[in-house]
Amino acid sequence: MKALVTGFDAFGGDAINPSCVAVQSLPARIGTLEVVTAVLPTSFRRATTTLRALMRREQPDIVLCVGLAADRAAISIERVAVNLDDARLPDNDGACPRDKPVVRGGPAAYFSSLPVRKIVTRLTAENIPCELSMSAGAFVCNHVFYALMHLAAQREQRLHAGFVHVPALSALSREQMVRALTLVLDSTRRMK
Ligand code: PCA
């Protein structure tokens, strides 16, 4: 089994993006699961084309996208992606879509196909601050999450796919983030 795990590059004037730091520190294997990592550009246009190309190349069984939510203090296990782009700041290409669908004519929302409740229980048991989240926002992260679930819905084989937001490194250490993502992947691989 293979997992594709992505982080995002820095945006909004920051020098680094903790999602990228955490993803790139993941082990290459978790049990029998092979872990392939990549960085997506924080760009509405390029992030989804990059993700699609990675999925075509890697043919993963699990896709976990990870982004930064700097205003949160815990790991957010995202439950739902909405069909809305409504940027609060320009992306890395200067694009700032408002009130636009991610996919014209697409369903209003998709649910994560990760075992979200089980994940929160497991992280909590290890004292990692985490919560189920009802919104991944309406910026590039939600855009990628929605595009990912839209792709998954069109595939014939089952794909476990979802999104996790990490907080700033001042709220949670890199080691804790890596442990959290490892537990997310381990819980998901055990679903199979
Ligand atoms: N966080 C942003 C986009 C990239 C990232 O890491 C978001 O929450 O939409």
Side-chain angles (χ1 to χ4, degrees), residues 7-9 11 17 19 42 66-69 88 136-142 163 165:
F8 281 98
D9 66 0
F11 67 101
N17 188 327
S19 69
T42 302
V66 185
L68 165 71
R88 58 191 147 73
F139 190 50
V140 180
C141 287
N142 172 75
F163 199 98
H165 266 116

